[in-house]
Amino acid sequence: MYEKNGVPVQDPLPKKEQRSFPPVSDPTCQTMLDIRDGEGASTIVLQVFNWKGDIWGGGSMLASYEDGKAQQVFAQLKQALGSCRSYEGTGWVGKFKSTLTVEQAPDVGDEAVRFREGESGRGGRTAREDGERLVVGGQQHEAT
């Protein structure tokens, strides 16, 4: 990590050092996940918003694509959101199930989509054990 203009910057790990997971159960949902995570973008800027105690409360990602590719990727995202409703996969701590709900798009930019993912199981990014209960959270995403 280093600073640029007073802002901490951390470059991504080289691909061979990044942890990878097998594709999720629904190929259409995998397409959505890949786009959501910026796969294929020429440049990505990710800003993490931490709460007290360095709990990751959320983040914001900007993905830049080469000429003409952003429209293509956005069309692929809209198509994937048209049929992806749920999927299963393996995450950081094990297997999980996730549901996806498309919501009313915000009135911003040329085009926009909004969707929410809800995860359950030990591998969901927002699932955690709390005594005898499994606490499950969700994530809201917007793309413009």
Side-chain angles (χ1 to χ4, degrees):
M1 186 176 304
Y2 58 94
E3 282 197 19
K4 176 111 179 168
N5 299 325
V7 176
V9 175
Q10 182 175 347
D11 289 330
L13 291 172
K15 285 277 188 198
K16 65 182 181 182
E17 294 179 30
Q18 294 178 10
R19 185 167 178 192
S20 64
F21 300 103
V24 297
S25 59
D26 182 330
T28 305
C29 295
Q30 185 64 55
T31 297
M32 177 275 303
L33 292 169
D34 290 345
I35 295 169
R36 182 200 72 188
D37 292 340
E39 292 291 323
S42 58
T43 303
I44 298 172
V45 176
L46 176 64
Q47 181 179 10
V48 174
F49 305 112
N50 287 323
W51 293 342
K52 289 182 180 179
D54 285 334
I55 296 172
W56 185 12
S60 174
M61 182 181 72
L62 298 174
S64 177
Y65 296 89
E66 295 176 13
D67 286 339
K69 190 169 181 192
Q71 290 176 325
Q72 176 186 356
V73 170
F74 198 85
Q76 290 172 340
L77 176 61
K78 287 173 66 174
Q79 183 177 8
L81 291 175
S83 59
C84 175
R85 294 294 170 257
S86 66
Y87 57 92
E88 298 178 13
T90 303
W92 291 102
V93 294
K95 295 187 181 298
F96 69 91
K97 294 180 181 180
S98 187
T99 58
L100 186 131
T101 306
V102 177
E103 299 180 344
Q104 175 83 28
D107 188 20
V108 296
D110 295 333
E111 294 184 83
V113 294
R114 176 184 287 156
F115 58 99
R116 183 177 301 274
E117 290 178 83
E119 299 169 339
S120 63
R122 296 190 57 88
R125 288 186 310 212
T126 55
R128 68 180 193 284
E129 282 192 55
D130 182 13
E132 295 296 314
R133 301 175 296 144
L134 183 64
V135 179
V136 180
Q139 300 176 0
Q140 182 174 335
H141 307 278
E142 293 181 9
T144 56

